[in-house]
Amino acid sequence: MQNQLFINGKWSPAKSGAIFDVVDPSNREVFHQVARGGAADIEAAVAAAREAFDNGPWPRMSGARRAGILRKMGDEIAARSNELAHLEVRDNGKPLPEAVWDIEDTAGCFHFYADLAERLDNDAEEDIPLPMETFTVKAVREPVGVAGAIIPWNFPMLMAAWKVAPALAAGCTMVLKPSELTPLTALEYGSIAEKAGLPAGVLNIVTGYGPEAGQPLTEHPGVDKLAFTGSVPTGSKIMQAAARDIKTISLELGGKSPLVVFGDVEVDEAVEWILFGIFWNQGEVCSATSRVLIEESIYPRLMERLVEETRKIKIGHGLEEGVLLGPLVSQGQHEKVLAAIERGKAEGATLVTGGGVPAGLEQGCYVEPTIFAEVPTESWIWKEEIFGPVVCIRTFQSEEEAVRLANDTRFGLGAAVMSNDLERANRVARAFRAGIVWINCSQPTFTEAPWGGYKQSGIGRELGEWGLNNYLETKQITTYDRSAPWGWYLRE
Ligand code: NAD
């Protein structure tokens, strides 16, 4: 397990010498300590990234050569998947099979962007047709410069991959600041980069707290682009910091995503996706379908099965066989989620099941899978992101009512609809004001497809071609055909 900062290809302690604790959420015990980076470390990391961008080989080498190194990084992640998944379970708490998915997706993300880096050798220049022959114009795509990436704790290694892989593919250099709650797998990118032969200074990793390490990164004039995943209030601060120097930004923020279930679906099919939509990764998922709207005709039968299956969910340590719900990431998140549940009860929502700390698991940050029904639309729990295993349910009578309730939110990240009538499902999908829409499922995510939110859920799209474009500038190069007549001032 690494515990130092990775700057300019070297491991070093924080300049202040400070460290912070890494806590296992399954028992609240400190099991490791890492460097507590601050402004001086960010200064060194940005200087290294700046030098690597302005004078180093990385932005100047062919896409195919960058692809070779990205592929090696992907291969190394895949080769170490078991060890990295275990590290993720210890740091974040998630069940091992879900951590294994994360690491497999992380390796896949590097392989995907390796292919796109290679394609850039042909795609980076495009001739723009003009209605005249006096000029020829090319659009040329170039790396945007030094990227600052700030990531959250819910999918620590994967969320970093969504930024590191496309940024490196584009030819950018970068500074990565992981969440202070889950710094361990992000630090492993340092040794992965070393092994793959990434030039020094291209990827720099500074662990530390948001205000101490994150904020100086967002405010640094040497950073050209900021990429952030996290909460709306922090996203707003990052946008303000970016505004001062007109930095390019992409933001992936929170959500309160709806899942609309029409009465014509199989009850058990709906139960499966409702459960997966809110309880995988302990509900600590930005796109979790945390508001479920159920057509009245199916409601009693569906609720009965949903409650029955929810009570069967095995809660426990992420490494225990068969566990589907691990501890929440931290003491702070545990307190926040339990407080949200109390608030829901006080607001008049009906607590159907869960709502507390599971018996026998008091030593860790565990919360029972929780269902609220008849949740008032004006209540805090209906409107705000809880970011835990808590689902809010209401009924609806018509398609029009379902769409209105689904869209009545300041967020717009995900939305899902289930119906046997695909025409209706597609109509509702198009009516949703959200960036990611699922039909007859909830949550499946693909490296190839665009990911991001409408409204307060963010700006820009990650993954796919969209993810690469986040790290590219477009330059226009216009060439004058000197044999054609011109002469504005120097006329004969
Ligand atoms: P957070 O905003 O508290 O922290 C995210 C990151 O920002 C951390 O690395 C933190 O250290 C850093 N940070 C905090 N204050 C900062 C500041 N002033 N300047 C710069 N950096 C700062 O969010 P979190 O608690 O880590 O994550 C939970 C939130 O993230 C949820 O609201 C969730 O919806 C959202 N999220 C969104 C997505 C998505 O894809 N849209 C994915 C995961 C999480």
Side-chain angles (χ1 to χ4, degrees):
M1 272 186 281
Q2 299 291 351
N3 60 0
Q4 296 194 317
L5 311 178
F6 185 68
I7 297 176
N8 209 16
K10 296 190 185 71
W11 295 96
S12 60
K15 288 197 193 301
S16 66
I19 50 173
F20 66 95
D21 292 338
V22 185
V23 178
D24 181 339
S26 71
N27 56 18
R28 303 175 214 254
E29 281 171 16
V30 175
F31 69 97
H32 195 52
Q33 290 176 317
V34 300
R36 181 168 169 172
D41 304 295
I42 290 292
E43 189 61 46
V46 174
R50 195 73 260 169
E51 174 62 21
F53 187 79
D54 293 340
N55 301 310
W58 190 250
R60 288 160 195 88
M61 67 174 65
S62 68
R65 280 193 60 202
R66 285 201 300 273
I69 292 178
L70 284 167
R71 275 192 198 108
K72 281 190 194 155
M73 290 179 76
D75 292 346
E76 175 69 3
I77 293 164
R80 291 176 56 187
S81 67
N82 186 42
E83 168 214 342
L84 292 168
H86 277 79
L87 206 52
E88 212 74 307
V89 173
R90 192 109 199 253
D91 213 1
N92 168 279
K94 64 178 69 195
L96 183 64
E98 294 183 17
V100 170
W101 282 351
D102 286 8
I103 305 303
E104 285 171 356
D105 283 357
T106 299
C109 189
F110 276 83
H111 288 132
F112 176 80
Y113 281 106
D115 291 350
L116 291 203
E118 202 156 18
R119 276 194 3 217
L120 265 183
D121 286 338
N122 293 321
D123 292 355
E125 293 201 10
E126 187 189 341
D127 291 323
I128 308 295
L130 293 182
M132 60 172 73
E133 284 170 5
T134 320
F135 301 96
T136 52
V137 174
K138 276 184 193 304
V140 179
R141 299 199 293 163
E142 298 181 339
V144 73
V146 173
I150 298 178
I151 56 164
W153 42 259
N154 54 348
F155 297 91
M157 196 158 198
L158 185 60
M159 287 298 112
W162 286 16
K163 295 172 175 45
V164 174
L168 298 187
C172 288
T173 62
M174 65 192 307
V175 178
L176 172 68
K177 207 298 279 172
S179 167
E180 55 275 29
L181 296 175
T182 52
L184 298 184
T185 46
L187 281 176
E188 294 304 319
Y189 277 116
S191 33
I192 290 160
E194 277 178 318
K195 186 143 188 213
L198 192 74
V202 174
L203 173 63
N204 305 278
I205 308 163
V206 178
T207 47
Y209 289 88
E212 292 174 12
Q215 194 177 328
L217 180 59
T218 63
E219 292 173 350
H220 201 295
V223 174
D224 301 293
K225 191 230 152 56
L226 293 171
F228 172 72
T229 298
S231 64
V232 173
T234 307
S236 171
K237 282 186 199 155
I238 285 172
M239 213 168 159
Q240 286 171 45
R244 212 186 45 199
D245 294 333
I246 321 290
K247 291 181 177 39
T248 311
I249 52 166
S250 43
L251 303 175
E252 299 283 351
L253 308 176
K256 190 79 183 180
S257 303
L259 163 53
V260 171
V261 183
F262 283 98
D264 59 354
V265 294
E266 285 293 317
V267 166
D268 275 8
E269 203 185 330
V271 167
E272 170 67 26
W273 289 110
I274 294 171
L275 294 176
F276 190 70
I278 187 63
F279 297 138
W280 82 292
N281 212 51
Q282 295 68 247
E284 296 168 324
V285 180
C286 51
S287 58
T289 34
S290 51
R291 289 185 298 142
V292 176
L293 294 153
I294 302 175
E295 191 162 12
E296 258 181 12
S297 57
I298 199 182
Y299 183 76
R301 274 185 302 136
L302 179 44
M303 280 303 277
E304 196 182 313
R305 286 286 297 128
L306 187 62
V307 171
E308 197 179 359
E309 290 302 319
T310 300
R311 290 186 177 147
K312 284 189 203 158
I313 290 174
K314 185 168 175 187
I315 312 169
H317 194 288
L319 294 182
E320 207 180 309
E321 187 74 27
V323 159
L324 290 172
L325 199 87
L328 301 190
V329 71
S330 66
Q331 171 90 23
Q333 193 62 14
H334 192 240
E335 285 165 8
K336 267 197 227 165
V337 172
L338 290 174
I341 291 170
E342 289 313 308
R343 198 162 177 169
K345 288 195 235 168
E347 288 178 318
T350 307
L351 179 64
V352 182
T353 188
V357 174
L361 289 171
E362 294 80 4
Q363 80 290 355
C365 303
Y366 295 93
V367 173
E368 289 173 319
T370 300
I371 300 179
F372 277 109
E374 296 157 286
V375 182
T377 53
E378 287 314 305
S379 62
W380 187 93
I381 57 162
W382 182 257
K383 290 179 165 175
E384 299 300 327
E385 185 172 47
I386 296 172
F387 224 60
V390 182
V391 65
C392 295
I393 298 183
R394 282 186 68 84
T395 56
F396 68 88
Q397 289 177 339
S398 68
E399 181 181 323
E400 179 274 328
E401 185 193 6
V403 170
R404 184 172 46 76
L405 286 169
N407 284 339
D408 184 18
T409 167
R410 68 191 167 97
F411 298 112
L413 189 57
V417 54
M418 298 193 69
S419 172
N420 278 341
D421 177 350
L422 277 183
E423 203 175 305
R424 170 164 66 182
N426 273 288
R427 197 166 55 232
V428 170
R430 278 155 187 78
F432 284 144
R433 296 277 302 150
I436 307 142
V437 173
W438 291 283
I439 294 178
N440 290 334
C441 61
S442 173
Q443 307 304 311
T445 301
F446 305 96
T447 312
E448 298 78 4
W451 179 274
Y454 283 22
K455 301 195 259 181
Q456 290 188 26
S457 289
I459 295 179
R461 295 291 175 271
E462 293 194 292
L463 298 182
E465 294 268 1
W466 298 263
L468 184 69
N469 287 337
N470 274 332
Y471 298 93
L472 292 170
E473 280 281 17
T474 305
K475 177 184 278 178
Q476 179 203 134
I477 300 182
T478 295
T479 306
Y480 170 48
D481 173 2
R482 287 142 81 210
S483 66
W486 184 248
W488 186 256
Y489 290 102
L490 304 182
R491 287 170 214 246
E492 285 297 306

